[in-house]
Amino acid sequence: MSLFVLAAGGTGGHMVPAHALAEELMRRGHRVALVTDERGMRFPGLFEGVETHVLPAGRVGGGPLGWLRAARSIRAGRKLALDLFRNLEPAAVMGFGGYPALPSLLAAFKAKIPTAVHEQNAVLGRVNRMVAGRVNAVATAYPDVQRVPARAAAKVRLVGNPVRQEVLALRDKPYPPLDSDGVFRVLVTGGSQGAKILSDVVPEGLGMLPPIFRTRLQVTHQARAEDIERVRTRYAKLGIPAELATYLPDLPERLGLSHLVIARSGASTVAELAAAGRPAILVPFAAATDDHQTYNAKELVAAGGARAIPQAQFTAVELAKQMQKLGLEPDALANAARRARGCGRPDAVRDLADLIEEIEG
């Protein structure tokens, strides 16, 4: 039995795959410790029963003063991580990108502990680019990942993006039947941070659908707290049954019941769509670093499992047009579901656990 340290924080895109790996390692009899930041502690239902340590992790930005503050914070986090590792004696450390992972990786380099990073997006993130040349392995979620340094190319291992077991279980369930006059279930989600543009555009777009289609809709919409009442009121005025929530603890169940998903193309969202085999209309976040959400969507779109609408073109009219193309042809949706499923990598968590065990050796 070994102890592995997983370093992740910030967003759900980092925390969810780390959580999946923790569960797999513990299932294999290993011990796991999580090193995260304050934001990483805010995700309910993740890492229950896992030893957790919160370390400072500065985010680089804000000009010279911001850089100086970040450097001090990262240096303090590295020192604390070194002290922690002396007590834990981890067999290996795996980072999941983002600045919260950096102090732990730097400490592992200093202590000569084997290391790996996992990149959830189709563009290697800044921190992972910084450390790629020094880690033992770079695990990727897509066959084509942008901005991998040449010195790290030989270390790349395609494993996919781990998803929750509840989502993987959907692969064994058929796409929900969709009759020409039956209920049409739509799931709208902006990821862990929510998405204002989905709250602004989706109700209006659905409201433009022909009455024969609109009356069949049943919407589940995850919205930000500051938007939720406004969006609820708008759906009610349009006569569209909609359930609104800021957080969906039963998201896998909702995903399984959905005929179509309207979402951002964050790493976890795309991985779950592919794992479950659910068609989607994706709206990449325009301000994402290195435009990585656009790259995340490419594989699913190329396979025919999703349609992507750039944020600048995401209007109510365009959404209504795309919805009619998909929703009025049940066979088209079922076919898109099959194609999305074909992009899934259901063994991602197994392969990632194999990798960290391998670098330990």
Side-chain angles (χ1 to χ4, degrees):
M1 181 177 71
S2 300
L3 183 140
F4 296 103
V5 168
L6 309 185
T11 69
H14 297 140
M15 297 296 288
V16 170
H19 167 73
L21 176 59
E23 288 193 323
E24 173 66 12
L25 291 172
M26 290 188 292
R27 189 189 66 78
R28 296 184 182 195
H30 298 298
R31 294 167 56 212
V32 175
L34 170 70
V35 176
T36 188
D37 63 346
E38 291 182 357
R39 289 187 301 163
M41 296 294 291
R42 299 174 186 169
F43 293 90
L46 300 185
F47 294 97
E48 293 179 358
V50 173
E51 178 181 343
T52 301
H53 303 269
V54 177
L55 299 183
R59 182 175 179 82
V60 178
L65 286 178
W67 301 335
L68 181 60
R69 283 194 296 267
R72 287 174 177 169
S73 184
I74 292 168
R75 188 163 57 246
R78 174 179 175 272
K79 182 180 184 303
L80 290 171
L82 274 169
D83 293 339
L84 178 65
F85 293 169
R86 290 189 188 102
N87 292 325
L88 294 180
E89 297 183 347
V93 175
M94 178 168 285
F96 284 82
Y99 289 100
L102 185 55
S104 295
L105 291 168
L106 295 176
F109 297 153
K110 175 71 173 177
K112 300 191 185 318
I113 299 168
T115 54
V117 292
H118 179 263
E119 178 56 59
Q120 301 87 48
N121 294 300
V123 180
L124 203 65
R126 290 175 182 173
V127 167
N128 282 349
R129 288 202 300 270
M130 288 169 58
V131 302
R134 299 180 67 183
V135 298
N136 297 80
V138 177
T140 63
Y142 298 89
D144 181 21
V145 176
Q146 307 295 309
R147 305 199 68 174
V148 176
R151 65 185 183 281
K155 303 176 184 180
V156 171
R157 183 85 64 85
L158 174 62
V159 299
N161 221 345
V163 299
R164 292 168 285 184
Q165 286 297 322
E166 301 94 321
V167 175
L168 280 181
L170 298 176
R171 289 183 72 81
D172 299 325
K173 298 180 180 180
Y175 180 72
L178 181 61
D179 300 326
S180 60
D181 58 351
V183 173
F184 188 103
R185 296 185 181 88
V186 178
L187 173 63
V188 185
T189 174
S192 62
Q193 305 300 309
K196 182 176 184 297
I197 192 169
L198 297 185
S199 294
D200 292 343
V201 173
V202 173
E204 305 303 322
L206 299 185
M208 290 182 175
L209 295 172
I212 194 171
F213 189 0
R214 190 172 68 246
T215 55
R216 296 168 51 204
L217 294 174
Q218 184 172 312
V219 178
T220 299
H221 190 132
Q222 179 241 337
R224 301 191 303 181
E226 58 266 37
D227 298 327
I228 197 165
E229 289 306 322
R230 170 177 62 85
V231 178
R232 181 179 284 117
T233 299
R234 188 58 186 150
Y235 277 124
K237 287 184 177 179
L238 291 167
I240 298 173
E243 183 177 351
L244 278 291
T246 58
Y247 177 71
L248 297 170
D250 58 346
L251 181 62
E253 181 181 349
R254 307 277 186 157
L255 181 61
L257 293 171
S258 298
H259 296 106
L260 180 69
V261 179
I262 303 172
R264 288 297 201 189
S265 50
S268 292
T269 298
V270 172
E272 291 186 345
L273 289 169
R278 290 297 178 270
I281 293 174
L282 299 174
V283 187
F285 180 39
T289 305
D290 299 319
D291 196 25
H292 65 254
Q293 288 207 1
T294 295
Y295 288 98
N296 289 353
K298 280 191 171 183
E299 183 183 23
L300 209 56
V301 171
R307 297 183 180 214
I309 304 175
Q311 184 165 310
Q313 300 170 26
F314 185 60
T315 63
V317 172
E318 181 63 22
L319 175 61
K321 182 171 70 175
Q322 296 296 339
M323 284 284 294
Q324 288 187 78
K325 287 181 179 178
L326 286 168
L328 295 178
E329 297 181 32
D331 289 344
L333 274 171
N335 184 51
R338 286 192 296 271
R339 291 174 179 270
R341 189 180 185 278
C343 294
R345 295 184 174 85
D347 297 326
V349 70
R350 181 203 68 187
D351 294 344
L352 194 57
D354 288 347
L355 178 60
I356 197 170
E357 288 181 334
E358 180 184 318
I359 67 167
E360 171 199 8

